[in-house]
Amino acid sequence: MPSPAEEAVRDLVRARGDLLDDRKRMQQRLNAMLLRHGRVWRGGKKWSYAHRTWVDRQVFDEPALAEALALYRGGLEAREAEHNKTTRTTVGWLTAKA
């Protein structure tokens, strides 16, 4: 039977997994938006450094599209920051328990 502390760390690991799923969904949404507007990545693996650079260079002249793109980018950046922070926290808890 896990202790309350062990169960808490398990919940932290589950939360990290959920954040990873959320990040993937934001990547999919951002890619889908670009595809809807004819922006197709042909340079290899998605979400590589080269792909991310390409995504970051995308610009729309239409103000509403530019705002939508900014919202998707911001959402992705927020999920990445949350995931990175939770990963550091989780590693800290797991190494403290070892």
Side-chain angles (χ1 to χ4, degrees), residues 8-75:
V9 172
R10 286 181 180 180
D11 279 326
L12 183 59
V13 170
R14 287 184 197 105
R16 181 184 172 274
D18 291 341
L19 289 170
L20 182 60
D21 292 342
D22 292 344
R23 185 187 75 181
K24 288 177 184 177
R25 277 193 287 278
M26 286 306 300
Q27 289 173 332
Q28 291 168 340
R29 290 176 184 145
L30 181 51
N31 271 328
M33 189 241 181
L34 292 171
L35 285 171
R36 282 192 303 273
H37 297 282
R39 310 292 175 93
V40 179
W41 169 250
R42 297 188 193 328
K45 186 176 178 183
K46 287 185 181 172
W47 300 109
S48 62
Y49 179 79
H51 178 255
R52 186 59 183 260
T53 301
W54 176 82
V55 168
D56 290 343
R57 289 183 179 155
Q58 298 304 301
V59 177
F60 289 103
D61 293 330
E62 172 60 44
L65 280 176
E67 181 65 23
L69 181 60
L71 289 170
Y72 283 119
R73 283 181 180 149

